[in-house]
Amino acid sequence: MEGSPQIKECPECRKTDLIQDYEAGELVCEHCGFVISPVLLDHGPEWRAFNTEQREKRTRAGAPLTWAIHDRGLSTIIGWSDRDVYGRKLKPEQKAQVFRLRKWHRRSQVSGSTQRNLAYALSELTKVAYKLNLPRNVLETASMLYRRIVRKRLIRGRTIQGVAAASIYMACRQCNIIRTLEEVAKAANISKKEGGRNYRFLLRRLQNKVPPVDPHNHISKFINHLSLSGDTETLAIQIIDLAQELRLTSGRGPAGIAAAATYIASRLTGEQRTQGDIARTAHVTEVTIRNRYKELIKKFSINVSL
DNA sequence: AAGACGAAAGTGGTTGA
DNA sequence: TCAACAACTTTCGTCTT
């Protein structure tokens, strides 16, 4: 994997208050809001330490443990050079022994069809997560899900790509990272339809409780994309709060609600964006935004002259 | 001329008999 | 398995700014 150079300061305002926004998959300057890089990779360990004691306890040698590699990243590899630890050449009989060891070591690592399947699937998960700029914990969650699916023998009759995409999507939902089914399906090279089918299947069989998408989670993404101000964001969030209180959100697509709230907020703060612009970032149509926001302003009776 | 509006027909999925 | 249904989309002609 090619390494991206570590960016330390904002190219816009030269400040170093950079924030890693994993939800949007972006590196953002806290000072001026400049989005430095839309591609963000998490190279950190899988744990976090909040004080020195925890740091000491958790720090350890070796790569972080991960669910995303079939043996959890715990492998030790037998080296290929025929020399011992002191760099001396091995005797012929030792050489033969090491050769046999290597052979069986390699065979034992990925053994059996389930293991091979798992290894392939987990690399597939990693690829998809990488394409979608997902944070580490989503990939870990997806990998865990996939392991459960394999254990329950639910793969039969389904493609690895399909199940992998569904796992990723479910993991996103559980971690409150907003990615549409369409985005995930595209990254996994399958159709939205197939992704949806697999996802529903998993939902039924795993009996996972997946919280419905909260419209709030969409807002910051929309605001960023449309380069709107914090005021507008606050306002949009308030609008959604109100809408939820008035029970205007149930049964409606959360993206549509969030888009409508963003639209109203943008008009109220005078930072107008067209319905078309918002529709494109929200992946809904103008008509849906219109329907939602008509409903909203009717019930709100805050008939600000929009 | 661009954007907003709304009617009408179509789509894909859910539900309940 | 099928029909009814709700939410959403697509398309298109009209109105508003």
Side-chain angles (χ1 to χ4, degrees), chain A residues 192-227:
Chain A
K192 184 186 169 190
K193 200 170 158 185
E194 200 189 334
R197 232 197 2 250
N198 281 309
Y199 174 64
R200 278 192 305 281
F201 175 78
L202 293 192
L203 210 52
R204 241 194 348 265
R205 301 305 297 272
L206 293 179
Q207 309 203 316
N208 257 15
K209 32 184 175 6
V210 179
V213 176
D214 187 333
H216 284 106
N217 295 336
H218 286 287
I219 294 293
S220 69
K221 199 175 171 187
F222 294 172
I223 297 286
N224 273 340
H225 264 124
L226 297 161
S227 16

PDB file of all heavy atoms in Angstrom, chain A residues 192-227:
ATOM      1  N   LYS A 192     -27.080  -2.698  -6.205  1.00  0.00           N
ATOM      2  CA  LYS A 192     -27.754  -2.245  -4.985  1.00  0.00           C
ATOM      3  C   LYS A 192     -28.789  -3.274  -4.544  1.00  0.00           C
ATOM      4  O   LYS A 192     -28.969  -3.532  -3.354  1.00  0.00           O
ATOM      5  CB  LYS A 192     -28.440  -0.909  -5.281  1.00  0.00           C
ATOM      6  CG  LYS A 192     -29.089  -0.270  -4.088  1.00  0.00           C
ATOM      7  CD  LYS A 192     -29.870   0.967  -4.501  1.00  0.00           C
ATOM      8  CE  LYS A 192     -30.746   1.457  -3.356  1.00  0.00           C
ATOM      9  NZ  LYS A 192     -31.678   2.508  -3.813  1.00  0.00           N
ATOM     10  N   LYS A 193     -29.402  -3.868  -5.554  1.00  0.00           N
ATOM     11  CA  LYS A 193     -30.452  -4.847  -5.284  1.00  0.00           C
ATOM     12  C   LYS A 193     -29.893  -6.050  -4.529  1.00  0.00           C
ATOM     13  O   LYS A 193     -30.436  -6.470  -3.508  1.00  0.00           O
ATOM     14  CB  LYS A 193     -31.043  -5.292  -6.617  1.00  0.00           C
ATOM     15  CG  LYS A 193     -32.402  -5.910  -6.540  1.00  0.00           C
ATOM     16  CD  LYS A 193     -32.938  -6.076  -7.954  1.00  0.00           C
ATOM     17  CE  LYS A 193     -34.011  -7.142  -8.010  1.00  0.00           C
ATOM     18  NZ  LYS A 193     -34.440  -7.385  -9.395  1.00  0.00           N
ATOM     19  N   GLU A 194     -28.789  -6.564  -5.039  1.00  0.00           N
ATOM     20  CA  GLU A 194     -28.187  -7.732  -4.399  1.00  0.00           C
ATOM     21  C   GLU A 194     -27.702  -7.387  -2.989  1.00  0.00           C
ATOM     22  O   GLU A 194     -27.859  -8.174  -2.060  1.00  0.00           O
ATOM     23  CB  GLU A 194     -27.037  -8.263  -5.245  1.00  0.00           C
ATOM     24  CG  GLU A 194     -26.689  -9.708  -4.905  1.00  0.00           C
ATOM     25  CD  GLU A 194     -25.409 -10.159  -5.575  1.00  0.00           C
ATOM     26  OE1 GLU A 194     -25.063  -9.601  -6.634  1.00  0.00           O
ATOM     27  OE2 GLU A 194     -24.761 -11.061  -5.016  1.00  0.00           O
ATOM     28  N   GLY A 195     -27.109  -6.187  -2.864  1.00  0.00           N
ATOM     29  CA  GLY A 195     -26.662  -5.746  -1.549  1.00  0.00           C
ATOM     30  C   GLY A 195     -27.816  -5.712  -0.565  1.00  0.00           C
ATOM     31  O   GLY A 195     -27.704  -6.191   0.558  1.00  0.00           O
ATOM     32  N   GLY A 196     -28.930  -5.164  -1.024  1.00  0.00           N
ATOM     33  CA  GLY A 196     -30.105  -5.066  -0.171  1.00  0.00           C
ATOM     34  C   GLY A 196     -30.632  -6.432   0.223  1.00  0.00           C
ATOM     35  O   GLY A 196     -30.988  -6.666   1.375  1.00  0.00           O
ATOM     36  N   ARG A 197     -30.639  -7.333  -0.750  1.00  0.00           N
ATOM     37  CA  ARG A 197     -31.140  -8.687  -0.476  1.00  0.00           C
ATOM     38  C   ARG A 197     -30.299  -9.347   0.604  1.00  0.00           C
ATOM     39  O   ARG A 197     -30.818  -9.901   1.571  1.00  0.00           O
ATOM     40  CB  ARG A 197     -31.099  -9.510  -1.759  1.00  0.00           C
ATOM     41  CG  ARG A 197     -32.402 -10.161  -2.072  1.00  0.00           C
ATOM     42  CD  ARG A 197     -32.371 -11.296  -3.064  1.00  0.00           C
ATOM     43  NE  ARG A 197     -31.079 -11.671  -3.592  1.00  0.00           N
ATOM     44  CZ  ARG A 197     -30.712 -11.459  -4.845  1.00  0.00           C
ATOM     45  NH1 ARG A 197     -31.511 -10.836  -5.681  1.00  0.00           N
ATOM     46  NH2 ARG A 197     -29.541 -11.870  -5.274  1.00  0.00           N
ATOM     47  N   ASN A 198     -28.993  -9.272   0.435  1.00  0.00           N
ATOM     48  CA  ASN A 198     -28.094  -9.885   1.406  1.00  0.00           C
ATOM     49  C   ASN A 198     -28.224  -9.237   2.777  1.00  0.00           C
ATOM     50  O   ASN A 198     -28.205  -9.906   3.802  1.00  0.00           O
ATOM     51  CB  ASN A 198     -26.651  -9.798   0.924  1.00  0.00           C
ATOM     52  CG  ASN A 198     -26.344 -10.847  -0.121  1.00  0.00           C
ATOM     53  OD1 ASN A 198     -26.608 -12.018   0.077  1.00  0.00           O
ATOM     54  ND2 ASN A 198     -25.831 -10.422  -1.255  1.00  0.00           N
ATOM     55  N   TYR A 199     -28.336  -7.923   2.769  1.00  0.00           N
ATOM     56  CA  TYR A 199     -28.439  -7.206   4.041  1.00  0.00           C
ATOM     57  C   TYR A 199     -29.689  -7.636   4.807  1.00  0.00           C
ATOM     58  O   TYR A 199     -29.634  -7.909   5.994  1.00  0.00           O
ATOM     59  CB  TYR A 199     -28.459  -5.699   3.796  1.00  0.00           C
ATOM     60  CG  TYR A 199     -28.712  -4.892   5.046  1.00  0.00           C
ATOM     61  CD1 TYR A 199     -27.801  -4.915   6.099  1.00  0.00           C
ATOM     62  CD2 TYR A 199     -29.873  -4.145   5.185  1.00  0.00           C
ATOM     63  CE1 TYR A 199     -28.038  -4.200   7.246  1.00  0.00           C
ATOM     64  CE2 TYR A 199     -30.111  -3.423   6.336  1.00  0.00           C
ATOM     65  CZ  TYR A 199     -29.190  -3.450   7.362  1.00  0.00           C
ATOM     66  OH  TYR A 199     -29.429  -2.743   8.505  1.00  0.00           O
ATOM     67  N   ARG A 200     -30.797  -7.706   4.098  1.00  0.00           N
ATOM     68  CA  ARG A 200     -32.042  -8.105   4.772  1.00  0.00           C
ATOM     69  C   ARG A 200     -31.953  -9.528   5.286  1.00  0.00           C
ATOM     70  O   ARG A 200     -32.449  -9.842   6.372  1.00  0.00           O
ATOM     71  CB  ARG A 200     -33.230  -7.949   3.832  1.00  0.00           C
ATOM     72  CG  ARG A 200     -33.765  -6.526   3.770  1.00  0.00           C
ATOM     73  CD  ARG A 200     -35.096  -6.487   3.073  1.00  0.00           C
ATOM     74  NE  ARG A 200     -35.008  -7.085   1.745  1.00  0.00           N
ATOM     75  CZ  ARG A 200     -34.509  -6.465   0.686  1.00  0.00           C
ATOM     76  NH1 ARG A 200     -34.083  -5.239   0.788  1.00  0.00           N
ATOM     77  NH2 ARG A 200     -34.452  -7.072  -0.468  1.00  0.00           N
ATOM     78  N   PHE A 201     -31.301 -10.359   4.494  1.00  0.00           N
ATOM     79  CA  PHE A 201     -31.122 -11.746   4.912  1.00  0.00           C
ATOM     80  C   PHE A 201     -30.341 -11.817   6.231  1.00  0.00           C
ATOM     81  O   PHE A 201     -30.748 -12.484   7.179  1.00  0.00           O
ATOM     82  CB  PHE A 201     -30.394 -12.512   3.808  1.00  0.00           C
ATOM     83  CG  PHE A 201     -30.054 -13.925   4.183  1.00  0.00           C
ATOM     84  CD1 PHE A 201     -31.012 -14.913   4.159  1.00  0.00           C
ATOM     85  CD2 PHE A 201     -28.755 -14.253   4.558  1.00  0.00           C
ATOM     86  CE1 PHE A 201     -30.704 -16.208   4.506  1.00  0.00           C
ATOM     87  CE2 PHE A 201     -28.437 -15.562   4.909  1.00  0.00           C
ATOM     88  CZ  PHE A 201     -29.417 -16.533   4.881  1.00  0.00           C
ATOM     89  N   LEU A 202     -29.234 -11.076   6.282  1.00  0.00           N
ATOM     90  CA  LEU A 202     -28.410 -11.071   7.496  1.00  0.00           C
ATOM     91  C   LEU A 202     -29.194 -10.526   8.679  1.00  0.00           C
ATOM     92  O   LEU A 202     -29.123 -11.040   9.799  1.00  0.00           O
ATOM     93  CB  LEU A 202     -27.164 -10.217   7.299  1.00  0.00           C
ATOM     94  CG  LEU A 202     -26.133 -10.709   6.293  1.00  0.00           C
ATOM     95  CD1 LEU A 202     -24.862  -9.909   6.435  1.00  0.00           C
ATOM     96  CD2 LEU A 202     -25.856 -12.185   6.496  1.00  0.00           C
ATOM     97  N   LEU A 203     -29.932  -9.464   8.414  1.00  0.00           N
ATOM     98  CA  LEU A 203     -30.716  -8.831   9.467  1.00  0.00           C
ATOM     99  C   LEU A 203     -31.648  -9.863  10.099  1.00  0.00           C
ATOM    100  O   LEU A 203     -31.795  -9.928  11.312  1.00  0.00           O
ATOM    101  CB  LEU A 203     -31.530  -7.696   8.840  1.00  0.00           C
ATOM    102  CG  LEU A 203     -31.855  -6.496   9.706  1.00  0.00           C
ATOM    103  CD1 LEU A 203     -30.595  -5.957  10.344  1.00  0.00           C
ATOM    104  CD2 LEU A 203     -32.532  -5.428   8.863  1.00  0.00           C
ATOM    105  N   ARG A 204     -32.265 -10.682   9.244  1.00  0.00           N
ATOM    106  CA  ARG A 204     -33.198 -11.686   9.743  1.00  0.00           C
ATOM    107  C   ARG A 204     -32.472 -12.784  10.500  1.00  0.00           C
ATOM    108  O   ARG A 204     -32.853 -13.160  11.598  1.00  0.00           O
ATOM    109  CB  ARG A 204     -33.961 -12.293   8.568  1.00  0.00           C
ATOM    110  CG  ARG A 204     -35.448 -12.065   8.658  1.00  0.00           C
ATOM    111  CD  ARG A 204     -36.273 -12.928   7.711  1.00  0.00           C
ATOM    112  NE  ARG A 204     -35.557 -13.632   6.681  1.00  0.00           N
ATOM    113  CZ  ARG A 204     -35.396 -13.184   5.440  1.00  0.00           C
ATOM    114  NH1 ARG A 204     -35.866 -12.017   5.107  1.00  0.00           N
ATOM    115  NH2 ARG A 204     -34.752 -13.898   4.552  1.00  0.00           N
ATOM    116  N   ARG A 205     -31.391 -13.288   9.904  1.00  0.00           N
ATOM    117  CA  ARG A 205     -30.745 -14.468  10.470  1.00  0.00           C
ATOM    118  C   ARG A 205     -29.870 -14.166  11.673  1.00  0.00           C
ATOM    119  O   ARG A 205     -29.713 -15.000  12.557  1.00  0.00           O
ATOM    120  CB  ARG A 205     -29.933 -15.198   9.398  1.00  0.00           C
ATOM    121  CG  ARG A 205     -30.757 -15.640   8.225  1.00  0.00           C
ATOM    122  CD  ARG A 205     -31.940 -16.504   8.671  1.00  0.00           C
ATOM    123  NE  ARG A 205     -31.523 -17.734   9.300  1.00  0.00           N
ATOM    124  CZ  ARG A 205     -31.275 -18.850   8.627  1.00  0.00           C
ATOM    125  NH1 ARG A 205     -31.427 -18.874   7.314  1.00  0.00           N
ATOM    126  NH2 ARG A 205     -30.888 -19.930   9.247  1.00  0.00           N
ATOM    127  N   LEU A 206     -29.259 -13.022  11.702  1.00  0.00           N
ATOM    128  CA  LEU A 206     -28.382 -12.711  12.832  1.00  0.00           C
ATOM    129  C   LEU A 206     -29.168 -12.101  13.986  1.00  0.00           C
ATOM    130  O   LEU A 206     -28.696 -12.033  15.101  1.00  0.00           O
ATOM    131  CB  LEU A 206     -27.284 -11.730  12.417  1.00  0.00           C
ATOM    132  CG  LEU A 206     -26.244 -12.229  11.440  1.00  0.00           C
ATOM    133  CD1 LEU A 206     -25.253 -11.128  11.125  1.00  0.00           C
ATOM    134  CD2 LEU A 206     -25.502 -13.428  12.008  1.00  0.00           C
ATOM    135  N   GLN A 207     -30.375 -11.656  13.677  1.00  0.00           N
ATOM    136  CA  GLN A 207     -31.201 -10.996  14.667  1.00  0.00           C
ATOM    137  C   GLN A 207     -30.432  -9.921  15.399  1.00  0.00           C
ATOM    138  O   GLN A 207     -30.501  -9.781  16.616  1.00  0.00           O
ATOM    139  CB  GLN A 207     -31.739 -12.010  15.671  1.00  0.00           C
ATOM    140  CG  GLN A 207     -32.394 -13.187  14.965  1.00  0.00           C
ATOM    141  CD  GLN A 207     -33.382 -13.901  15.830  1.00  0.00           C
ATOM    142  OE1 GLN A 207     -33.095 -14.142  16.992  1.00  0.00           O
ATOM    143  NE2 GLN A 207     -34.532 -14.219  15.288  1.00  0.00           N
ATOM    144  N   ASN A 208     -29.703  -9.168  14.602  1.00  0.00           N
ATOM    145  CA  ASN A 208     -28.944  -8.049  15.153  1.00  0.00           C
ATOM    146  C   ASN A 208     -29.877  -6.877  15.313  1.00  0.00           C
ATOM    147  O   ASN A 208     -30.690  -6.624  14.456  1.00  0.00           O
ATOM    148  CB  ASN A 208     -27.852  -7.653  14.161  1.00  0.00           C
ATOM    149  CG  ASN A 208     -26.514  -8.146  14.596  1.00  0.00           C
ATOM    150  OD1 ASN A 208     -26.444  -8.993  15.470  1.00  0.00           O
ATOM    151  ND2 ASN A 208     -25.470  -7.627  14.009  1.00  0.00           N
ATOM    152  N   LYS A 209     -29.720  -6.174  16.410  1.00  0.00           N
ATOM    153  CA  LYS A 209     -30.509  -4.958  16.488  1.00  0.00           C
ATOM    154  C   LYS A 209     -29.702  -3.835  15.849  1.00  0.00           C
ATOM    155  O   LYS A 209     -28.609  -3.493  16.300  1.00  0.00           O
ATOM    156  CB  LYS A 209     -30.865  -4.614  17.931  1.00  0.00           C
ATOM    157  CG  LYS A 209     -29.815  -5.043  18.925  1.00  0.00           C
ATOM    158  CD  LYS A 209     -30.253  -4.775  20.324  1.00  0.00           C
ATOM    159  CE  LYS A 209     -29.279  -5.292  21.369  1.00  0.00           C
ATOM    160  NZ  LYS A 209     -28.026  -5.853  20.956  1.00  0.00           N
ATOM    161  N   VAL A 210     -30.216  -3.345  14.769  1.00  0.00           N
ATOM    162  CA  VAL A 210     -29.556  -2.252  14.077  1.00  0.00           C
ATOM    163  C   VAL A 210     -30.459  -1.033  14.205  1.00  0.00           C
ATOM    164  O   VAL A 210     -31.591  -1.068  13.766  1.00  0.00           O
ATOM    165  CB  VAL A 210     -29.337  -2.578  12.594  1.00  0.00           C
ATOM    166  CG1 VAL A 210     -28.671  -1.420  11.892  1.00  0.00           C
ATOM    167  CG2 VAL A 210     -28.520  -3.839  12.455  1.00  0.00           C
ATOM    168  N   PRO A 211     -29.966  -0.007  14.857  1.00  0.00           N
ATOM    169  CA  PRO A 211     -30.804   1.172  15.060  1.00  0.00           C
ATOM    170  C   PRO A 211     -31.123   1.815  13.726  1.00  0.00           C
ATOM    171  O   PRO A 211     -30.283   1.825  12.837  1.00  0.00           O
ATOM    172  CB  PRO A 211     -29.921   2.091  15.910  1.00  0.00           C
ATOM    173  CG  PRO A 211     -28.533   1.639  15.637  1.00  0.00           C
ATOM    174  CD  PRO A 211     -28.610   0.173  15.365  1.00  0.00           C
ATOM    175  N   PRO A 212     -32.354   2.319  13.576  1.00  0.00           N
ATOM    176  CA  PRO A 212     -32.676   3.016  12.338  1.00  0.00           C
ATOM    177  C   PRO A 212     -31.788   4.245  12.207  1.00  0.00           C
ATOM    178  O   PRO A 212     -31.371   4.812  13.211  1.00  0.00           O
ATOM    179  CB  PRO A 212     -34.135   3.424  12.514  1.00  0.00           C
ATOM    180  CG  PRO A 212     -34.405   3.324  13.976  1.00  0.00           C
ATOM    181  CD  PRO A 212     -33.466   2.318  14.515  1.00  0.00           C
ATOM    182  N   VAL A 213     -31.522   4.628  10.984  1.00  0.00           N
ATOM    183  CA  VAL A 213     -30.632   5.769  10.764  1.00  0.00           C
ATOM    184  C   VAL A 213     -31.274   7.037  11.302  1.00  0.00           C
ATOM    185  O   VAL A 213     -32.427   7.325  11.033  1.00  0.00           O
ATOM    186  CB  VAL A 213     -30.333   5.953   9.266  1.00  0.00           C
ATOM    187  CG1 VAL A 213     -29.495   7.198   9.054  1.00  0.00           C
ATOM    188  CG2 VAL A 213     -29.623   4.735   8.730  1.00  0.00           C
ATOM    189  N   ASP A 214     -30.533   7.761  12.100  1.00  0.00           N
ATOM    190  CA  ASP A 214     -31.010   9.019  12.650  1.00  0.00           C
ATOM    191  C   ASP A 214     -30.666  10.131  11.663  1.00  0.00           C
ATOM    192  O   ASP A 214     -29.514  10.261  11.274  1.00  0.00           O
ATOM    193  CB  ASP A 214     -30.305   9.258  13.996  1.00  0.00           C
ATOM    194  CG  ASP A 214     -30.872  10.478  14.709  1.00  0.00           C
ATOM    195  OD1 ASP A 214     -31.378  11.372  14.007  1.00  0.00           O
ATOM    196  OD2 ASP A 214     -30.797  10.521  15.936  1.00  0.00           O
ATOM    197  N   PRO A 215     -31.672  10.914  11.266  1.00  0.00           N
ATOM    198  CA  PRO A 215     -31.407  11.983  10.296  1.00  0.00           C
ATOM    199  C   PRO A 215     -30.263  12.904  10.729  1.00  0.00           C
ATOM    200  O   PRO A 215     -29.535  13.426   9.892  1.00  0.00           O
ATOM    201  CB  PRO A 215     -32.718  12.760  10.253  1.00  0.00           C
ATOM    202  CG  PRO A 215     -33.751  11.847  10.764  1.00  0.00           C
ATOM    203  CD  PRO A 215     -33.075  10.850  11.659  1.00  0.00           C
ATOM    204  N   HIS A 216     -30.093  13.047  12.048  1.00  0.00           N
ATOM    205  CA  HIS A 216     -29.023  13.914  12.546  1.00  0.00           C
ATOM    206  C   HIS A 216     -27.665  13.534  11.948  1.00  0.00           C
ATOM    207  O   HIS A 216     -26.845  14.388  11.649  1.00  0.00           O
ATOM    208  CB  HIS A 216     -28.911  13.811  14.066  1.00  0.00           C
ATOM    209  CG  HIS A 216     -29.986  14.535  14.784  1.00  0.00           C
ATOM    210  ND1 HIS A 216     -31.024  13.894  15.395  1.00  0.00           N
ATOM    211  CD2 HIS A 216     -30.201  15.849  14.979  1.00  0.00           C
ATOM    212  CE1 HIS A 216     -31.822  14.787  15.950  1.00  0.00           C
ATOM    213  NE2 HIS A 216     -31.352  15.980  15.710  1.00  0.00           N
ATOM    214  N   ASN A 217     -27.469  12.233  11.820  1.00  0.00           N
ATOM    215  CA  ASN A 217     -26.153  11.775  11.379  1.00  0.00           C
ATOM    216  C   ASN A 217     -25.801  12.235   9.966  1.00  0.00           C
ATOM    217  O   ASN A 217     -24.639  12.241   9.589  1.00  0.00           O
ATOM    218  CB  ASN A 217     -26.087  10.247  11.444  1.00  0.00           C
ATOM    219  CG  ASN A 217     -26.189   9.747  12.859  1.00  0.00           C
ATOM    220  OD1 ASN A 217     -25.880  10.477  13.794  1.00  0.00           O
ATOM    221  ND2 ASN A 217     -26.650   8.521  13.032  1.00  0.00           N
ATOM    222  N   HIS A 218     -26.823  12.560   9.183  1.00  0.00           N
ATOM    223  CA  HIS A 218     -26.556  13.008   7.828  1.00  0.00           C
ATOM    224  C   HIS A 218     -26.075  14.452   7.789  1.00  0.00           C
ATOM    225  O   HIS A 218     -25.338  14.834   6.889  1.00  0.00           O
ATOM    226  CB  HIS A 218     -27.828  12.923   6.982  1.00  0.00           C
ATOM    227  CG  HIS A 218     -28.205  11.530   6.603  1.00  0.00           C
ATOM    228  ND1 HIS A 218     -27.522  10.816   5.656  1.00  0.00           N
ATOM    229  CD2 HIS A 218     -29.190  10.710   7.039  1.00  0.00           C
ATOM    230  CE1 HIS A 218     -28.084   9.622   5.523  1.00  0.00           C
ATOM    231  NE2 HIS A 218     -29.095   9.537   6.352  1.00  0.00           N
ATOM    232  N   ILE A 219     -26.552  15.230   8.758  1.00  0.00           N
ATOM    233  CA  ILE A 219     -26.400  16.681   8.662  1.00  0.00           C
ATOM    234  C   ILE A 219     -24.964  17.138   8.437  1.00  0.00           C
ATOM    235  O   ILE A 219     -24.682  17.866   7.490  1.00  0.00           O
ATOM    236  CB  ILE A 219     -26.982  17.377   9.911  1.00  0.00           C
ATOM    237  CG1 ILE A 219     -28.502  17.178   9.947  1.00  0.00           C
ATOM    238  CG2 ILE A 219     -26.658  18.851   9.904  1.00  0.00           C
ATOM    239  CD1 ILE A 219     -29.244  17.876   8.841  1.00  0.00           C
ATOM    240  N   SER A 220     -24.042  16.686   9.292  1.00  0.00           N
ATOM    241  CA  SER A 220     -22.684  17.235   9.195  1.00  0.00           C
ATOM    242  C   SER A 220     -22.070  16.936   7.832  1.00  0.00           C
ATOM    243  O   SER A 220     -21.343  17.743   7.264  1.00  0.00           O
ATOM    244  CB  SER A 220     -21.815  16.678  10.318  1.00  0.00           C
ATOM    245  OG  SER A 220     -21.572  15.313  10.111  1.00  0.00           O
ATOM    246  N   LYS A 221     -22.402  15.766   7.288  1.00  0.00           N
ATOM    247  CA  LYS A 221     -21.898  15.410   5.962  1.00  0.00           C
ATOM    248  C   LYS A 221     -22.437  16.382   4.902  1.00  0.00           C
ATOM    249  O   LYS A 221     -21.681  16.892   4.070  1.00  0.00           O
ATOM    250  CB  LYS A 221     -22.338  13.986   5.641  1.00  0.00           C
ATOM    251  CG  LYS A 221     -21.550  13.310   4.549  1.00  0.00           C
ATOM    252  CD  LYS A 221     -22.017  11.873   4.422  1.00  0.00           C
ATOM    253  CE  LYS A 221     -21.433  11.199   3.207  1.00  0.00           C
ATOM    254  NZ  LYS A 221     -22.012   9.852   2.999  1.00  0.00           N
ATOM    255  N   PHE A 222     -23.739  16.641   4.972  1.00  0.00           N
ATOM    256  CA  PHE A 222     -24.346  17.555   3.991  1.00  0.00           C
ATOM    257  C   PHE A 222     -23.737  18.946   4.122  1.00  0.00           C
ATOM    258  O   PHE A 222     -23.393  19.580   3.128  1.00  0.00           O
ATOM    259  CB  PHE A 222     -25.860  17.664   4.205  1.00  0.00           C
ATOM    260  CG  PHE A 222     -26.620  16.400   3.934  1.00  0.00           C
ATOM    261  CD1 PHE A 222     -27.963  16.300   4.249  1.00  0.00           C
ATOM    262  CD2 PHE A 222     -25.994  15.306   3.347  1.00  0.00           C
ATOM    263  CE1 PHE A 222     -28.662  15.131   4.003  1.00  0.00           C
ATOM    264  CE2 PHE A 222     -26.692  14.131   3.104  1.00  0.00           C
ATOM    265  CZ  PHE A 222     -28.025  14.049   3.430  1.00  0.00           C
ATOM    266  N   ILE A 223     -23.640  19.402   5.374  1.00  0.00           N
ATOM    267  CA  ILE A 223     -23.135  20.750   5.622  1.00  0.00           C
ATOM    268  C   ILE A 223     -21.730  20.903   5.038  1.00  0.00           C
ATOM    269  O   ILE A 223     -21.420  21.889   4.383  1.00  0.00           O
ATOM    270  CB  ILE A 223     -23.113  21.050   7.139  1.00  0.00           C
ATOM    271  CG1 ILE A 223     -24.537  21.012   7.724  1.00  0.00           C
ATOM    272  CG2 ILE A 223     -22.436  22.381   7.426  1.00  0.00           C
ATOM    273  CD1 ILE A 223     -25.400  22.194   7.374  1.00  0.00           C
ATOM    274  N   ASN A 224     -20.910  19.897   5.266  1.00  0.00           N
ATOM    275  CA  ASN A 224     -19.553  19.927   4.728  1.00  0.00           C
ATOM    276  C   ASN A 224     -19.539  19.977   3.212  1.00  0.00           C
ATOM    277  O   ASN A 224     -18.875  20.804   2.610  1.00  0.00           O
ATOM    278  CB  ASN A 224     -18.773  18.684   5.170  1.00  0.00           C
ATOM    279  CG  ASN A 224     -18.111  18.891   6.506  1.00  0.00           C
ATOM    280  OD1 ASN A 224     -17.918  20.027   6.914  1.00  0.00           O
ATOM    281  ND2 ASN A 224     -17.789  17.815   7.176  1.00  0.00           N
ATOM    282  N   HIS A 225     -20.293  19.087   2.622  1.00  0.00           N
ATOM    283  CA  HIS A 225     -20.321  19.007   1.168  1.00  0.00           C
ATOM    284  C   HIS A 225     -20.790  20.289   0.514  1.00  0.00           C
ATOM    285  O   HIS A 225     -20.336  20.664  -0.551  1.00  0.00           O
ATOM    286  CB  HIS A 225     -21.228  17.853   0.727  1.00  0.00           C
ATOM    287  CG  HIS A 225     -20.480  16.601   0.459  1.00  0.00           C
ATOM    288  ND1 HIS A 225     -20.771  15.411   1.079  1.00  0.00           N
ATOM    289  CD2 HIS A 225     -19.425  16.348  -0.341  1.00  0.00           C
ATOM    290  CE1 HIS A 225     -19.936  14.490   0.667  1.00  0.00           C
ATOM    291  NE2 HIS A 225     -19.109  15.021  -0.195  1.00  0.00           N
ATOM    292  N   LEU A 226     -21.746  20.925   1.176  1.00  0.00           N
ATOM    293  CA  LEU A 226     -22.339  22.129   0.580  1.00  0.00           C
ATOM    294  C   LEU A 226     -21.640  23.385   1.083  1.00  0.00           C
ATOM    295  O   LEU A 226     -22.075  24.485   0.813  1.00  0.00           O
ATOM    296  CB  LEU A 226     -23.833  22.182   0.923  1.00  0.00           C
ATOM    297  CG  LEU A 226     -24.661  21.020   0.362  1.00  0.00           C
ATOM    298  CD1 LEU A 226     -25.975  20.888   1.097  1.00  0.00           C
ATOM    299  CD2 LEU A 226     -24.912  21.217  -1.122  1.00  0.00           C
ATOM    300  N   SER A 227     -20.559  23.217   1.821  1.00  0.00           N
ATOM    301  CA  SER A 227     -19.829  24.301   2.479  1.00  0.00           C
ATOM    302  C   SER A 227     -20.758  25.336   3.105  1.00  0.00           C
ATOM    303  O   SER A 227     -20.719  26.510   2.776  1.00  0.00           O
ATOM    304  CB  SER A 227     -18.819  24.977   1.549  1.00  0.00           C
ATOM    305  OG  SER A 227     -19.038  24.683   0.209  1.00  0.00           O
TER     306      SER A 227
END
